Amino acid sequence: MNSESLYQFSTLTVILLLLAFYGGTYLMTLGIRKKNEDADAFMISNHRVGFGIGAASMTATWIWAASFYAAATSGYTYGVSGPIHYGLWGALMILFIYPFGRRFRKLAPNAHTLGELIHARHGSSSQLILALSNVLGSVISLMVNFTAAGALVSVLSPLSFQAGVIIAGVGVLLYTLWSGFRASVLTDFAQLVALMAIAIVIIPAVFFAMGGPETLVAGLDTLTPEQANFFSMDAILHQGAPFFVAVLAYAIGNQTISQRLFAVNEDHIKPTFLTATVGYGAIVIGLGMIGLMALTLGVQPLNGDMNNLIPQMVSGYLPPVFIALFFILVIGSLSSTADSDLSALSAIMMADVYGKNIAKGKADPRRMLLVGRLTMIVATMVGIVFASFSLDILVMLVFVGALWGAIVFPVIASCFWSRVTNAAFTTSVLVAMVLFCAARFELVDLAGPGGLFFELLASIGGGVIIGLMVFGFLGRTAGIVAGALALVAMLVFATGFLRDYTVLLASLTAYGTSTLVCVVMSLASRERFDFTTIRERVGDYDVHEAGSDEDEATPATATLAAQR
């Protein structure tokens, strides 16, 4: 399939579609604007988000550009098991925040970011490390979504890649700038309803336009043995295992998830995250099947760019009306995530940077709002600039997930174990990031003793991941047993083997190193922490009287709220 065979809208049609989507979204947010917006509503909707809105927002946020492009890339690259490896592990990223999220909310029910909890537990250095990792992740996410918008517009219209990037960036900023997180969750609900309605039509339409089940089965004969094998070790080691390793990293490290954790009504946390898990997995696995179909038909990605694969398939096989629906579908999905990233970045800068470190707990809510809105503007500009590099989405996801892996154990341990110190937290994360980079970029010769050293650290990391997952749902004893068994299995089967898979090796090394350093340093300390003090140190920045959201905030009331 070549570019001449692709259907393209006229420039006017694409501009009208974009104006209709972003204009309609902007008009929707006008209804929730308040004359005197307050900082807590801007960051987490005053902890009042209900089950329906919360589940929809979480699902829409997680079904982003990568859910289309990377899921299809996975199916196209790894064959029959590719969509499962992407969709299933992505769904688990939502699920595994739930057991630890209950603990986070119990310790700091009035928090706006996970960083505020860590600040109350350890202080500024640990908090800023967490904040920095979230800023990096959200900026890369913005870049990915704007990149997807540019690829979509350039394939389906005469407009350039850069034009698509700019329109998406400005459009998202337009409707998010005033009301922040409240605008994000409201539009997420509408976008998810449209996304599900269109996906139910689009995915089967592409599937049957390409030949349906008969063509898919017939095309399996053209696949390599690894691509045709549902339990392909190539797919598991290059895609499934790295994504499985990233499950906890994204769950703990991603501010878009923790922001919704603190925004949802506490009684609705469990159904919200369970519903979002199922919804995400079902839709994304279906999207990945389009990539598998393209593989069985021998379709070559346009210009060799995997980001073009899904737009290319839809454009080549569906009539114009369906193509227009698909266009809105992708724009809505990437916009729902981009506005969440802007809200997450603004909350980090408002609470973690300004509120806790610059204002030292005496933040002016009006100034916080200014900081949040300026953050959104700057982040949008940075995302647009970096999107022009058009980097590979799948590679970026694995890289950020592995970096977040360095903070998983220190964060979780800090919320359950009173002996973890600020020095242990900070040192463990920094050492883990250094060793992760050394393994990921092969700065050390992995063929000799260096490879064995990293495999031992990675084995510890594998045990930590399984142990933490089991601990979250079944408790400490079960977690320790499961982690020990996983460690033994890793030592037996991974030694001398894992060094050939540097992405997986580096990701596991980040977990193992941070855990080892954090545990050793914490055991060497005699400090003990009183967890009840966290609730006293983390509070709202605006005072809200019962039944009122319009109270005027002042620095004095903000201080009282923080003390509360």
Side-chain angles (χ1 to χ4, degrees):
M1 183 178 294
N2 52 46
S3 59
E4 287 74 22
S5 66
L6 299 183
Y7 179 89
Q8 284 195 332
F9 294 111
S10 67
T11 300
L12 178 61
T13 300
V14 168
I15 291 177
L16 289 176
L17 286 173
L18 290 169
L19 286 176
F21 175 80
Y22 286 117
T25 309
Y26 174 76
L27 291 175
M28 184 186 304
T29 62
L30 292 179
I32 62 171
R33 284 190 176 185
K34 296 191 295 185
K35 181 178 180 180
N36 295 313
E37 188 71 72
D38 61 75
D40 296 314
F42 192 88
M43 289 189 282
I44 37 79
S45 293
N46 305 120
H47 315 282
R48 296 176 183 174
V49 175
F51 162 64
I53 295 291
S57 179
M58 177 59 71
T59 306
T61 295
W62 219 226
I63 299 177
W64 58 323
S67 302
F68 289 80
Y69 296 93
T73 298
S74 184
Y76 187 86
T77 304
Y78 299 109
V80 294
S81 64
I84 302 297
H85 283 306
Y86 189 88
L88 179 60
W89 308 135
L92 288 181
M93 293 176 191
I94 303 174
L95 179 64
F96 275 98
I97 187 62
Y98 161 65
F100 303 110
R102 291 181 304 174
R103 176 66 173 174
F104 299 157
R105 282 294 293 266
K106 181 180 179 180
L107 292 176
N110 294 319
H112 308 80
T113 69
L114 186 56
E116 285 185 308
L117 191 160
I118 296 301
H119 183 275
R121 174 69 172 85
H122 289 305
S124 295
S125 61
S126 297
Q127 178 210 22
L128 291 176
I129 285 178
L130 182 60
L132 180 62
S133 69
N134 272 291
V135 168
L136 177 63
S138 291
V139 168
I140 290 178
S141 178
L142 277 176
M143 179 200 72
V144 168
N145 284 286
F146 294 160
T147 297
L152 181 70
V153 169
S154 64
V155 168
L156 298 183
S157 79
L159 292 175
S160 66
F161 172 85
Q162 288 76 14
V165 169
I166 293 173
I167 292 173
V170 173
V172 171
L173 179 64
L174 180 69
Y175 71 80
T176 312
L177 185 62
W178 183 262
S179 298
F181 181 77
R182 295 167 64 242
S184 177
V185 294
L186 175 66
T187 56
D188 281 347
F189 182 82
Q191 288 161 355
L192 179 66
V193 171
L195 186 150
M196 293 183 68
I198 297 174
I200 290 172
V201 175
I202 290 292
I203 296 175
V206 173
F207 184 68
F208 286 103
M210 297 170 70
E214 298 81 5
T215 302
L216 177 61
V217 173
L220 294 179
D221 294 334
T222 65
L223 305 184
T224 66
E226 284 292 323
Q227 290 173 331
N229 182 8
F230 187 79
F231 300 100
S232 165
M233 289 303 297
D234 185 56
I236 290 173
L237 291 171
H238 284 101
Q239 167 99 23
F243 265 62
F244 180 77
V245 169
V247 164
L248 278 178
Y250 272 84
I252 301 301
N254 195 318
Q255 169 63 15
T256 62
I257 293 182
S258 57
Q259 191 170 19
R260 280 152 181 78
L261 167 69
F262 290 117
V264 171
N265 186 302
E266 194 165 0
D267 296 334
H268 299 153
I269 292 177
K270 182 177 180 179
T272 294
F273 283 85
L274 289 177
T275 302
T277 297
V278 175
Y280 173 89
I283 294 176
V284 172
I285 290 173
L287 291 168
M289 294 300 294
I290 297 178
L292 176 60
M293 284 292 290
L295 175 64
T296 60
L297 292 176
V299 174
Q300 296 299 316
L302 181 64
N303 300 324
D305 187 353
M306 296 297 290
N307 294 340
N308 291 330
L309 189 60
I310 281 192
Q312 179 182 352
M313 300 307 298
V314 172
S315 177
Y317 287 96
L318 295 184
V321 172
F322 284 89
I323 299 173
L325 289 175
F326 168 77
F327 185 86
I328 296 298
L329 174 67
V330 180
I331 292 296
S333 68
L334 66 87
S335 297
S336 68
T337 305
D339 64 41
S340 298
D341 287 317
L342 289 180
S343 298
L345 285 166
S346 64
I348 291 170
M349 297 303 294
M350 291 168 70
D352 293 348
V353 177
Y354 171 71
K356 295 300 182 183
N357 290 282
I358 297 177
K360 303 295 184 182
K362 298 180 180 180
D364 181 346
R366 290 193 182 91
R367 188 166 296 173
M368 291 186 78
L369 288 170
L370 177 61
V371 169
R373 289 174 178 137
L374 288 176
T375 298
M376 287 185 173
I377 295 172
V378 173
T380 300
M381 295 172 60
V382 172
I384 289 174
V385 170
F386 277 95
S388 64
F389 296 131
S390 190
L391 301 175
D392 184 88
I393 292 175
L394 209 56
V395 172
M396 298 303 298
L397 289 175
V398 172
F399 182 78
V400 175
L403 282 178
W404 273 337
I407 69 171
V408 170
F409 182 85
V411 168
I412 293 176
S414 296
C415 295
F416 288 90
W417 190 20
S418 63
R419 297 186 65 162
V420 180
T421 64
N422 181 49
F425 186 108
T426 305
T427 305
S428 63
V429 173
L430 294 177
V431 173
M433 291 181 66
V434 170
L435 291 182
F436 160 73
C437 292
R440 179 65 184 87
F441 301 109
E442 299 186 46
L443 303 179
V444 177
D445 183 13
L446 300 180
L452 178 61
F453 170 73
F454 281 106
E455 285 173 341
L456 292 176
L457 290 176
S459 296
I460 296 174
V464 169
I465 291 171
I466 299 300
L468 287 176
M469 288 181 173
V470 175
F471 163 70
F473 288 99
L474 300 179
R476 182 177 61 181
T477 302
I480 292 174
V481 172
L485 293 176
L487 172 59
V488 172
M490 289 287 294
L491 290 173
V492 172
F493 296 106
T495 304
F497 166 76
L498 197 58
R499 67 190 65 184
D500 295 328
Y501 300 90
T502 54
V503 173
L504 180 57
L505 176 70
S507 301
L508 290 172
T509 295
Y511 279 91
T513 302
S514 63
T515 300
L516 187 61
V517 174
C518 186
V519 169
V520 170
M521 293 186 66
S522 297
L523 289 175
S525 172
R526 296 183 179 181
E527 292 183 22
R528 297 292 186 275
F529 182 78
D530 181 4
F531 286 107
T532 61
T533 61
I534 293 179
R535 180 186 292 259
E536 301 170 3
R537 298 174 182 177
V538 180
D540 292 332
Y541 292 94
D542 296 270
V543 173
H544 304 278
E545 299 296 337
S548 175
D549 288 333
E550 304 292 341
D551 300 304
E552 187 170 340
T554 66
T557 58
T559 302
L560 290 174
Q563 292 173 347
R564 184 190 71 191

